[in-house]
Amino acid sequence: MQETDLGMMDAGQLTALFQSGEASPLEATRASLARIERFNDAVNAYVYVDHEGAEQAAKASARRWGQGKPLSPIDGVPVSMKDLTEVAGMPARDGSLTTSDAPCESDAPPARMLREAGAIFLGKTNTPEFGWKAVTDNRVFGATYNPWDTRLTPGGSSGGAAAAAALNMGVLHQGGDSGGSIRIPAAFTGVFGFKPTFGWTPQWPPATEPTLSHIGPLTRNVPDAARMLNVIGRYDYHDPYATRGQPDDWGVDLDCDLRGLRIAYSPDLGYAQVDPQIAARVREAAEKLQALGAEVEEIHPGFESPIEIFQKIWFTASLEVWSRSTEHERTLLDPGLVTNARIAERWSALDFFRALESRARLTQRLEHFNQKYHLLMTPSVSVSPFEANHEVPPGSGMRDWEEWAPFSYPFNLSQQPAASVPCGFTDTGMPVGFQLAGGKFDDVRVLRACHAFMQAYPPRFPTVPDPAQTG
């Protein structure tokens, strides 16, 4: 048998080897665990690793493949779960000192679906407290670091999942996105991240602000994301916001080219300030998409910054966390979360109602825009990764993460599908990503365009991070 590095393979490659008998899920799982052992001290992506449980599940998967009876096309594939997601037998600390190490008694929908598909749970990945900010650090586990430069943040709130994906510490990585929490860390670490249409990937218990939250994959390629979505992208009655209509095969159009796709390219949405190197890489990506056959037109969708709309809703979610906490628990919360909660205390019910009304108008505007253009292209993030343990770039004068991530949360407000695609590097060697957003329920078309670009311009991934840089 030809020597192969199972730890570097994607899900399609692994399951082909499982089927042929050239490799087993146990070998693949041990390869992923070895990569966690090798890399995790440098980046702190995983906050819980279940060696024994993973090996036991992998042995069971190997028996199924040996009998020719795999549970699904991802049976035996190693996966990680974000620490905001409940997985039976594992703790869910939510990055908070107000929680405990007690193992969860049941699976959240994405965990149950992946378990029933035979996926191998490696462990839980790091997140900020209750996922409240777009960087990844907390008082329980500390900061997660960027594999490209371990002095810097990988973004958040799915920063642990993104760092794990960049280093292939596991193959499929579950994230959550309420304001950019999949797309932001995907851009900062140079991987693919996808936020599906709201309600197509169910969750329960609900997120802190359930009408903004989308469950989705972070992977090294689009086909792996589609493979994961074929499992977690199914209706589940436990989630009261879950909707039906998901594609039978999320990857059905991945082999299609870009001819006929109309893409609106907006370098700044008409109001955002973007780092010049990021702007240049994204403009080059727009030209590449056009060369691949898409019709690309530079145009703005025509709405003002919705930062106040988002903050009215998002800060109120922090207030809800604050309000349900005991006096002692309040002393344990992230100070930034507390600050936002106290700001929200000053707002009235009418302020919140008007924010919801404005959200509806924004959604209407974007859906109308998508009647003329299939996709809207922007940068994923307006800045490069900055120092870890900071919410905003030091010295920038910014106060909140929403100021440096203006491109992501509009599509949480509108509940549309959106992805971050790696498209090169800055002069300092840090990844850049562009965003593609589609109309509601047009997820397959978003995935098709992302795959076409990544096939033509394959990303590269970081080498071994140096633990001596960490901190």
Side-chain angles (χ1 to χ4, degrees), residues 287-320:
E287 294 168 355
K288 291 173 179 177
L289 284 169
Q290 185 162 342
L292 289 172
E295 301 172 23
V296 180
E297 178 182 349
E298 184 170 339
I299 188 171
H300 300 312
F303 59 85
E304 297 180 355
S305 170
I307 187 169
E308 291 186 10
I309 302 170
F310 182 79
Q311 287 181 337
K312 284 287 193 306
I313 300 169
W314 194 242
F315 289 14
T316 301
S318 294
L319 178 59
E320 202 281 324

PDB file of all heavy atoms in Angstrom, residues 287-320:
ATOM      1  N   GLU A 287     -11.978  39.851 -10.115  1.00  0.00           N
ATOM      2  CA  GLU A 287     -11.516  39.709 -11.491  1.00  0.00           C
ATOM      3  C   GLU A 287     -11.354  38.236 -11.868  1.00  0.00           C
ATOM      4  O   GLU A 287     -11.668  37.829 -12.995  1.00  0.00           O
ATOM      5  CB  GLU A 287     -10.201  40.464 -11.658  1.00  0.00           C
ATOM      6  CG  GLU A 287     -10.348  41.979 -11.503  1.00  0.00           C
ATOM      7  CD  GLU A 287      -9.018  42.702 -11.381  1.00  0.00           C
ATOM      8  OE1 GLU A 287      -7.970  42.008 -11.319  1.00  0.00           O
ATOM      9  OE2 GLU A 287      -9.010  43.944 -11.329  1.00  0.00           O
ATOM     10  N   LYS A 288     -10.899  37.429 -10.921  1.00  0.00           N
ATOM     11  CA  LYS A 288     -10.746  35.994 -11.175  1.00  0.00           C
ATOM     12  C   LYS A 288     -12.102  35.324 -11.371  1.00  0.00           C
ATOM     13  O   LYS A 288     -12.252  34.441 -12.221  1.00  0.00           O
ATOM     14  CB  LYS A 288      -9.978  35.344 -10.026  1.00  0.00           C
ATOM     15  CG  LYS A 288      -8.509  35.750  -9.966  1.00  0.00           C
ATOM     16  CD  LYS A 288      -7.833  35.213  -8.716  1.00  0.00           C
ATOM     17  CE  LYS A 288      -6.364  35.609  -8.688  1.00  0.00           C
ATOM     18  NZ  LYS A 288      -5.692  35.163  -7.430  1.00  0.00           N
ATOM     19  N   LEU A 289     -13.093  35.716 -10.576  1.00  0.00           N
ATOM     20  CA  LEU A 289     -14.436  35.162 -10.759  1.00  0.00           C
ATOM     21  C   LEU A 289     -14.982  35.502 -12.138  1.00  0.00           C
ATOM     22  O   LEU A 289     -15.638  34.676 -12.791  1.00  0.00           O
ATOM     23  CB  LEU A 289     -15.370  35.690  -9.667  1.00  0.00           C
ATOM     24  CG  LEU A 289     -15.215  35.064  -8.277  1.00  0.00           C
ATOM     25  CD1 LEU A 289     -15.990  35.862  -7.244  1.00  0.00           C
ATOM     26  CD2 LEU A 289     -15.681  33.615  -8.278  1.00  0.00           C
ATOM     27  N   GLN A 290     -14.703  36.720 -12.587  1.00  0.00           N
ATOM     28  CA  GLN A 290     -15.158  37.106 -13.927  1.00  0.00           C
ATOM     29  C   GLN A 290     -14.431  36.279 -14.985  1.00  0.00           C
ATOM     30  O   GLN A 290     -15.045  35.828 -15.973  1.00  0.00           O
ATOM     31  CB  GLN A 290     -14.915  38.598 -14.153  1.00  0.00           C
ATOM     32  CG  GLN A 290     -15.458  39.109 -15.476  1.00  0.00           C
ATOM     33  CD  GLN A 290     -15.595  40.618 -15.494  1.00  0.00           C
ATOM     34  OE1 GLN A 290     -15.609  41.261 -14.452  1.00  0.00           O
ATOM     35  NE2 GLN A 290     -15.716  41.180 -16.681  1.00  0.00           N
ATOM     36  N   ALA A 291     -13.141  36.044 -14.786  1.00  0.00           N
ATOM     37  CA  ALA A 291     -12.386  35.235 -15.742  1.00  0.00           C
ATOM     38  C   ALA A 291     -12.877  33.790 -15.770  1.00  0.00           C
ATOM     39  O   ALA A 291     -12.746  33.105 -16.794  1.00  0.00           O
ATOM     40  CB  ALA A 291     -10.901  35.271 -15.382  1.00  0.00           C
ATOM     41  N   LEU A 292     -13.479  33.340 -14.665  1.00  0.00           N
ATOM     42  CA  LEU A 292     -14.023  31.990 -14.602  1.00  0.00           C
ATOM     43  C   LEU A 292     -15.407  31.882 -15.250  1.00  0.00           C
ATOM     44  O   LEU A 292     -15.980  30.793 -15.311  1.00  0.00           O
ATOM     45  CB  LEU A 292     -14.102  31.520 -13.147  1.00  0.00           C
ATOM     46  CG  LEU A 292     -12.763  31.225 -12.462  1.00  0.00           C
ATOM     47  CD1 LEU A 292     -12.974  30.967 -10.973  1.00  0.00           C
ATOM     48  CD2 LEU A 292     -12.076  30.024 -13.116  1.00  0.00           C
ATOM     49  N   GLY A 293     -15.950  32.991 -15.703  1.00  0.00           N
ATOM     50  CA  GLY A 293     -17.208  32.938 -16.440  1.00  0.00           C
ATOM     51  C   GLY A 293     -18.368  33.673 -15.816  1.00  0.00           C
ATOM     52  O   GLY A 293     -19.430  33.791 -16.440  1.00  0.00           O
ATOM     53  N   ALA A 294     -18.216  34.177 -14.595  1.00  0.00           N
ATOM     54  CA  ALA A 294     -19.308  34.914 -13.960  1.00  0.00           C
ATOM     55  C   ALA A 294     -19.411  36.328 -14.542  1.00  0.00           C
ATOM     56  O   ALA A 294     -18.431  36.888 -15.032  1.00  0.00           O
ATOM     57  CB  ALA A 294     -19.091  34.993 -12.451  1.00  0.00           C
ATOM     58  N   GLU A 295     -20.595  36.877 -14.462  1.00  0.00           N
ATOM     59  CA  GLU A 295     -20.796  38.283 -14.808  1.00  0.00           C
ATOM     60  C   GLU A 295     -20.656  39.086 -13.512  1.00  0.00           C
ATOM     61  O   GLU A 295     -21.468  38.949 -12.604  1.00  0.00           O
ATOM     62  CB  GLU A 295     -22.189  38.498 -15.400  1.00  0.00           C
ATOM     63  CG  GLU A 295     -22.474  37.687 -16.654  1.00  0.00           C
ATOM     64  CD  GLU A 295     -23.932  37.794 -17.076  1.00  0.00           C
ATOM     65  OE1 GLU A 295     -24.588  38.796 -16.699  1.00  0.00           O
ATOM     66  OE2 GLU A 295     -24.415  36.873 -17.756  1.00  0.00           O
ATOM     67  N   VAL A 296     -19.613  39.895 -13.422  1.00  0.00           N
ATOM     68  CA  VAL A 296     -19.323  40.628 -12.201  1.00  0.00           C
ATOM     69  C   VAL A 296     -19.490  42.118 -12.463  1.00  0.00           C
ATOM     70  O   VAL A 296     -18.881  42.673 -13.375  1.00  0.00           O
ATOM     71  CB  VAL A 296     -17.899  40.325 -11.691  1.00  0.00           C
ATOM     72  CG1 VAL A 296     -17.625  41.105 -10.401  1.00  0.00           C
ATOM     73  CG2 VAL A 296     -17.725  38.824 -11.455  1.00  0.00           C
ATOM     74  N   GLU A 297     -20.312  42.760 -11.649  1.00  0.00           N
ATOM     75  CA  GLU A 297     -20.548  44.201 -11.780  1.00  0.00           C
ATOM     76  C   GLU A 297     -20.291  44.864 -10.436  1.00  0.00           C
ATOM     77  O   GLU A 297     -20.807  44.427  -9.403  1.00  0.00           O
ATOM     78  CB  GLU A 297     -21.989  44.467 -12.212  1.00  0.00           C
ATOM     79  CG  GLU A 297     -22.324  45.948 -12.329  1.00  0.00           C
ATOM     80  CD  GLU A 297     -23.770  46.207 -12.709  1.00  0.00           C
ATOM     81  OE1 GLU A 297     -24.467  45.235 -13.082  1.00  0.00           O
ATOM     82  OE2 GLU A 297     -24.211  47.367 -12.620  1.00  0.00           O
ATOM     83  N   GLU A 298     -19.490  45.914 -10.443  1.00  0.00           N
ATOM     84  CA  GLU A 298     -19.235  46.645  -9.199  1.00  0.00           C
ATOM     85  C   GLU A 298     -20.416  47.565  -8.918  1.00  0.00           C
ATOM     86  O   GLU A 298     -20.706  48.479  -9.697  1.00  0.00           O
ATOM     87  CB  GLU A 298     -17.941  47.447  -9.292  1.00  0.00           C
ATOM     88  CG  GLU A 298     -17.589  48.153  -7.991  1.00  0.00           C
ATOM     89  CD  GLU A 298     -16.186  48.751  -7.990  1.00  0.00           C
ATOM     90  OE1 GLU A 298     -15.330  48.305  -8.798  1.00  0.00           O
ATOM     91  OE2 GLU A 298     -15.957  49.673  -7.176  1.00  0.00           O
ATOM     92  N   ILE A 299     -21.079  47.319  -7.808  1.00  0.00           N
ATOM     93  CA  ILE A 299     -22.265  48.080  -7.450  1.00  0.00           C
ATOM     94  C   ILE A 299     -22.558  47.863  -5.965  1.00  0.00           C
ATOM     95  O   ILE A 299     -22.239  46.821  -5.405  1.00  0.00           O
ATOM     96  CB  ILE A 299     -23.492  47.637  -8.294  1.00  0.00           C
ATOM     97  CG1 ILE A 299     -24.679  48.567  -8.050  1.00  0.00           C
ATOM     98  CG2 ILE A 299     -23.839  46.177  -8.047  1.00  0.00           C
ATOM     99  CD1 ILE A 299     -25.847  48.313  -9.008  1.00  0.00           C
ATOM    100  N   HIS A 300     -23.102  48.879  -5.319  1.00  0.00           N
ATOM    101  CA  HIS A 300     -23.467  48.754  -3.912  1.00  0.00           C
ATOM    102  C   HIS A 300     -24.944  48.367  -3.788  1.00  0.00           C
ATOM    103  O   HIS A 300     -25.762  48.795  -4.602  1.00  0.00           O
ATOM    104  CB  HIS A 300     -23.229  50.070  -3.170  1.00  0.00           C
ATOM    105  CG  HIS A 300     -21.801  50.524  -3.208  1.00  0.00           C
ATOM    106  ND1 HIS A 300     -20.754  49.686  -2.923  1.00  0.00           N
ATOM    107  CD2 HIS A 300     -21.250  51.732  -3.504  1.00  0.00           C
ATOM    108  CE1 HIS A 300     -19.613  50.353  -3.026  1.00  0.00           C
ATOM    109  NE2 HIS A 300     -19.893  51.602  -3.391  1.00  0.00           N
ATOM    110  N   PRO A 301     -25.290  47.583  -2.787  1.00  0.00           N
ATOM    111  CA  PRO A 301     -26.692  47.168  -2.640  1.00  0.00           C
ATOM    112  C   PRO A 301     -27.609  48.280  -2.160  1.00  0.00           C
ATOM    113  O   PRO A 301     -28.824  48.129  -2.214  1.00  0.00           O
ATOM    114  CB  PRO A 301     -26.619  46.026  -1.633  1.00  0.00           C
ATOM    115  CG  PRO A 301     -25.366  46.268  -0.873  1.00  0.00           C
ATOM    116  CD  PRO A 301     -24.405  46.889  -1.841  1.00  0.00           C
ATOM    117  N   GLY A 302     -27.048  49.372  -1.659  1.00  0.00           N
ATOM    118  CA  GLY A 302     -27.873  50.541  -1.383  1.00  0.00           C
ATOM    119  C   GLY A 302     -28.524  50.597  -0.022  1.00  0.00           C
ATOM    120  O   GLY A 302     -29.689  50.992   0.089  1.00  0.00           O
ATOM    121  N   PHE A 303     -27.799  50.221   1.022  1.00  0.00           N
ATOM    122  CA  PHE A 303     -28.313  50.421   2.379  1.00  0.00           C
ATOM    123  C   PHE A 303     -27.219  51.025   3.247  1.00  0.00           C
ATOM    124  O   PHE A 303     -26.023  50.873   2.969  1.00  0.00           O
ATOM    125  CB  PHE A 303     -28.827  49.115   2.995  1.00  0.00           C
ATOM    126  CG  PHE A 303     -27.796  48.010   3.106  1.00  0.00           C
ATOM    127  CD1 PHE A 303     -26.933  47.935   4.189  1.00  0.00           C
ATOM    128  CD2 PHE A 303     -27.707  47.033   2.122  1.00  0.00           C
ATOM    129  CE1 PHE A 303     -25.994  46.924   4.302  1.00  0.00           C
ATOM    130  CE2 PHE A 303     -26.773  46.011   2.226  1.00  0.00           C
ATOM    131  CZ  PHE A 303     -25.908  45.961   3.318  1.00  0.00           C
ATOM    132  N   GLU A 304     -27.625  51.725   4.283  1.00  0.00           N
ATOM    133  CA  GLU A 304     -26.671  52.326   5.212  1.00  0.00           C
ATOM    134  C   GLU A 304     -26.211  51.276   6.219  1.00  0.00           C
ATOM    135  O   GLU A 304     -26.823  50.216   6.362  1.00  0.00           O
ATOM    136  CB  GLU A 304     -27.320  53.509   5.939  1.00  0.00           C
ATOM    137  CG  GLU A 304     -27.716  54.650   5.012  1.00  0.00           C
ATOM    138  CD  GLU A 304     -28.367  55.805   5.765  1.00  0.00           C
ATOM    139  OE1 GLU A 304     -28.594  55.652   6.999  1.00  0.00           O
ATOM    140  OE2 GLU A 304     -28.645  56.834   5.138  1.00  0.00           O
ATOM    141  N   SER A 305     -25.127  51.597   6.897  1.00  0.00           N
ATOM    142  CA  SER A 305     -24.598  50.662   7.883  1.00  0.00           C
ATOM    143  C   SER A 305     -25.672  50.278   8.898  1.00  0.00           C
ATOM    144  O   SER A 305     -26.292  51.144   9.517  1.00  0.00           O
ATOM    145  CB  SER A 305     -23.418  51.275   8.629  1.00  0.00           C
ATOM    146  OG  SER A 305     -23.056  50.454   9.729  1.00  0.00           O
ATOM    147  N   PRO A 306     -25.908  48.960   9.092  1.00  0.00           N
ATOM    148  CA  PRO A 306     -26.911  48.518  10.066  1.00  0.00           C
ATOM    149  C   PRO A 306     -26.323  48.252  11.447  1.00  0.00           C
ATOM    150  O   PRO A 306     -26.896  47.493  12.223  1.00  0.00           O
ATOM    151  CB  PRO A 306     -27.440  47.233   9.431  1.00  0.00           C
ATOM    152  CG  PRO A 306     -26.245  46.651   8.752  1.00  0.00           C
ATOM    153  CD  PRO A 306     -25.415  47.834   8.277  1.00  0.00           C
ATOM    154  N   ILE A 307     -25.184  48.884  11.776  1.00  0.00           N
ATOM    155  CA  ILE A 307     -24.524  48.568  13.039  1.00  0.00           C
ATOM    156  C   ILE A 307     -25.420  48.876  14.241  1.00  0.00           C
ATOM    157  O   ILE A 307     -25.462  48.109  15.206  1.00  0.00           O
ATOM    158  CB  ILE A 307     -23.167  49.302  13.156  1.00  0.00           C
ATOM    159  CG1 ILE A 307     -22.409  48.821  14.398  1.00  0.00           C
ATOM    160  CG2 ILE A 307     -23.345  50.813  13.143  1.00  0.00           C
ATOM    161  CD1 ILE A 307     -20.967  49.298  14.442  1.00  0.00           C
ATOM    162  N   GLU A 308     -26.178  49.981  14.172  1.00  0.00           N
ATOM    163  CA  GLU A 308     -27.052  50.308  15.307  1.00  0.00           C
ATOM    164  C   GLU A 308     -28.190  49.297  15.432  1.00  0.00           C
ATOM    165  O   GLU A 308     -28.588  48.947  16.548  1.00  0.00           O
ATOM    166  CB  GLU A 308     -27.593  51.727  15.161  1.00  0.00           C
ATOM    167  CG  GLU A 308     -26.532  52.804  15.325  1.00  0.00           C
ATOM    168  CD  GLU A 308     -27.140  54.196  15.327  1.00  0.00           C
ATOM    169  OE1 GLU A 308     -28.389  54.305  15.399  1.00  0.00           O
ATOM    170  OE2 GLU A 308     -26.368  55.173  15.249  1.00  0.00           O
ATOM    171  N   ILE A 309     -28.707  48.827  14.308  1.00  0.00           N
ATOM    172  CA  ILE A 309     -29.760  47.807  14.345  1.00  0.00           C
ATOM    173  C   ILE A 309     -29.217  46.551  15.020  1.00  0.00           C
ATOM    174  O   ILE A 309     -29.835  45.985  15.937  1.00  0.00           O
ATOM    175  CB  ILE A 309     -30.233  47.463  12.924  1.00  0.00           C
ATOM    176  CG1 ILE A 309     -30.741  48.708  12.187  1.00  0.00           C
ATOM    177  CG2 ILE A 309     -31.309  46.380  12.962  1.00  0.00           C
ATOM    178  CD1 ILE A 309     -30.995  48.458  10.701  1.00  0.00           C
ATOM    179  N   PHE A 310     -28.045  46.122  14.555  1.00  0.00           N
ATOM    180  CA  PHE A 310     -27.471  44.893  15.104  1.00  0.00           C
ATOM    181  C   PHE A 310     -27.156  45.044  16.587  1.00  0.00           C
ATOM    182  O   PHE A 310     -27.451  44.146  17.397  1.00  0.00           O
ATOM    183  CB  PHE A 310     -26.209  44.519  14.323  1.00  0.00           C
ATOM    184  CG  PHE A 310     -25.585  43.238  14.798  1.00  0.00           C
ATOM    185  CD1 PHE A 310     -26.104  42.011  14.408  1.00  0.00           C
ATOM    186  CD2 PHE A 310     -24.490  43.252  15.652  1.00  0.00           C
ATOM    187  CE1 PHE A 310     -25.545  40.824  14.852  1.00  0.00           C
ATOM    188  CE2 PHE A 310     -23.924  42.082  16.100  1.00  0.00           C
ATOM    189  CZ  PHE A 310     -24.448  40.857  15.701  1.00  0.00           C
ATOM    190  N   GLN A 311     -26.572  46.170  16.960  1.00  0.00           N
ATOM    191  CA  GLN A 311     -26.189  46.342  18.364  1.00  0.00           C
ATOM    192  C   GLN A 311     -27.397  46.422  19.284  1.00  0.00           C
ATOM    193  O   GLN A 311     -27.339  45.925  20.417  1.00  0.00           O
ATOM    194  CB  GLN A 311     -25.311  47.589  18.516  1.00  0.00           C
ATOM    195  CG  GLN A 311     -23.912  47.393  17.956  1.00  0.00           C
ATOM    196  CD  GLN A 311     -23.031  48.617  18.129  1.00  0.00           C
ATOM    197  OE1 GLN A 311     -23.521  49.757  18.264  1.00  0.00           O
ATOM    198  NE2 GLN A 311     -21.723  48.414  18.112  1.00  0.00           N
ATOM    199  N   LYS A 312     -28.483  46.991  18.816  1.00  0.00           N
ATOM    200  CA  LYS A 312     -29.692  47.009  19.651  1.00  0.00           C
ATOM    201  C   LYS A 312     -30.112  45.578  20.005  1.00  0.00           C
ATOM    202  O   LYS A 312     -30.510  45.292  21.136  1.00  0.00           O
ATOM    203  CB  LYS A 312     -30.839  47.712  18.917  1.00  0.00           C
ATOM    204  CG  LYS A 312     -30.747  49.223  18.874  1.00  0.00           C
ATOM    205  CD  LYS A 312     -31.055  49.854  20.208  1.00  0.00           C
ATOM    206  CE  LYS A 312     -31.287  51.362  20.118  1.00  0.00           C
ATOM    207  NZ  LYS A 312     -30.237  52.131  19.481  1.00  0.00           N
ATOM    208  N   ILE A 313     -30.015  44.698  19.042  1.00  0.00           N
ATOM    209  CA  ILE A 313     -30.414  43.310  19.269  1.00  0.00           C
ATOM    210  C   ILE A 313     -29.325  42.555  20.023  1.00  0.00           C
ATOM    211  O   ILE A 313     -29.606  41.843  20.996  1.00  0.00           O
ATOM    212  CB  ILE A 313     -30.726  42.623  17.924  1.00  0.00           C
ATOM    213  CG1 ILE A 313     -31.875  43.354  17.222  1.00  0.00           C
ATOM    214  CG2 ILE A 313     -31.070  41.155  18.125  1.00  0.00           C
ATOM    215  CD1 ILE A 313     -32.098  42.922  15.783  1.00  0.00           C
ATOM    216  N   TRP A 314     -28.074  42.724  19.606  1.00  0.00           N
ATOM    217  CA  TRP A 314     -26.962  41.954  20.162  1.00  0.00           C
ATOM    218  C   TRP A 314     -26.663  42.349  21.606  1.00  0.00           C
ATOM    219  O   TRP A 314     -26.447  41.490  22.470  1.00  0.00           O
ATOM    220  CB  TRP A 314     -25.744  42.153  19.282  1.00  0.00           C
ATOM    221  CG  TRP A 314     -24.630  41.176  19.538  1.00  0.00           C
ATOM    222  CD1 TRP A 314     -23.363  41.465  19.961  1.00  0.00           C
ATOM    223  CD2 TRP A 314     -24.681  39.757  19.385  1.00  0.00           C
ATOM    224  NE1 TRP A 314     -22.624  40.317  20.072  1.00  0.00           N
ATOM    225  CE2 TRP A 314     -23.414  39.248  19.725  1.00  0.00           C
ATOM    226  CE3 TRP A 314     -25.680  38.867  18.997  1.00  0.00           C
ATOM    227  CZ2 TRP A 314     -23.111  37.882  19.691  1.00  0.00           C
ATOM    228  CZ3 TRP A 314     -25.389  37.504  18.960  1.00  0.00           C
ATOM    229  CH2 TRP A 314     -24.124  37.023  19.309  1.00  0.00           C
ATOM    230  N   PHE A 315     -26.650  43.644  21.888  1.00  0.00           N
ATOM    231  CA  PHE A 315     -26.391  44.084  23.264  1.00  0.00           C
ATOM    232  C   PHE A 315     -27.537  43.686  24.188  1.00  0.00           C
ATOM    233  O   PHE A 315     -27.325  43.389  25.368  1.00  0.00           O
ATOM    234  CB  PHE A 315     -26.189  45.598  23.318  1.00  0.00           C
ATOM    235  CG  PHE A 315     -24.903  46.096  22.721  1.00  0.00           C
ATOM    236  CD1 PHE A 315     -24.113  45.281  21.923  1.00  0.00           C
ATOM    237  CD2 PHE A 315     -24.482  47.397  22.941  1.00  0.00           C
ATOM    238  CE1 PHE A 315     -22.922  45.748  21.369  1.00  0.00           C
ATOM    239  CE2 PHE A 315     -23.303  47.884  22.397  1.00  0.00           C
ATOM    240  CZ  PHE A 315     -22.523  47.059  21.606  1.00  0.00           C
ATOM    241  N   THR A 316     -28.747  43.660  23.652  1.00  0.00           N
ATOM    242  CA  THR A 316     -29.884  43.224  24.472  1.00  0.00           C
ATOM    243  C   THR A 316     -29.736  41.750  24.835  1.00  0.00           C
ATOM    244  O   THR A 316     -30.136  41.320  25.922  1.00  0.00           O
ATOM    245  CB  THR A 316     -31.208  43.480  23.741  1.00  0.00           C
ATOM    246  OG1 THR A 316     -31.319  44.886  23.461  1.00  0.00           O
ATOM    247  CG2 THR A 316     -32.404  43.053  24.585  1.00  0.00           C
ATOM    248  N   ALA A 317     -29.152  40.958  23.940  1.00  0.00           N
ATOM    249  CA  ALA A 317     -28.873  39.562  24.274  1.00  0.00           C
ATOM    250  C   ALA A 317     -27.881  39.473  25.439  1.00  0.00           C
ATOM    251  O   ALA A 317     -28.017  38.616  26.328  1.00  0.00           O
ATOM    252  CB  ALA A 317     -28.328  38.833  23.052  1.00  0.00           C
ATOM    253  N   SER A 318     -26.884  40.363  25.463  1.00  0.00           N
ATOM    254  CA  SER A 318     -25.958  40.405  26.604  1.00  0.00           C
ATOM    255  C   SER A 318     -26.680  40.810  27.880  1.00  0.00           C
ATOM    256  O   SER A 318     -26.396  40.286  28.967  1.00  0.00           O
ATOM    257  CB  SER A 318     -24.815  41.384  26.312  1.00  0.00           C
ATOM    258  OG  SER A 318     -24.005  40.927  25.254  1.00  0.00           O
ATOM    259  N   LEU A 319     -27.637  41.729  27.745  1.00  0.00           N
ATOM    260  CA  LEU A 319     -28.428  42.135  28.908  1.00  0.00           C
ATOM    261  C   LEU A 319     -29.229  40.965  29.454  1.00  0.00           C
ATOM    262  O   LEU A 319     -29.389  40.812  30.678  1.00  0.00           O
ATOM    263  CB  LEU A 319     -29.350  43.293  28.535  1.00  0.00           C
ATOM    264  CG  LEU A 319     -30.276  43.807  29.635  1.00  0.00           C
ATOM    265  CD1 LEU A 319     -29.484  44.291  30.851  1.00  0.00           C
ATOM    266  CD2 LEU A 319     -31.164  44.929  29.096  1.00  0.00           C
ATOM    267  N   GLU A 320     -29.711  40.105  28.577  1.00  0.00           N
ATOM    268  CA  GLU A 320     -30.462  38.945  29.039  1.00  0.00           C
ATOM    269  C   GLU A 320     -29.563  38.003  29.845  1.00  0.00           C
ATOM    270  O   GLU A 320     -29.961  37.463  30.874  1.00  0.00           O
ATOM    271  CB  GLU A 320     -31.070  38.212  27.839  1.00  0.00           C
ATOM    272  CG  GLU A 320     -32.266  37.330  28.165  1.00  0.00           C
ATOM    273  CD  GLU A 320     -31.863  36.011  28.768  1.00  0.00           C
ATOM    274  OE1 GLU A 320     -30.830  35.463  28.360  1.00  0.00           O
ATOM    275  OE2 GLU A 320     -32.589  35.500  29.652  1.00  0.00           O
TER     276      GLU A 320
END
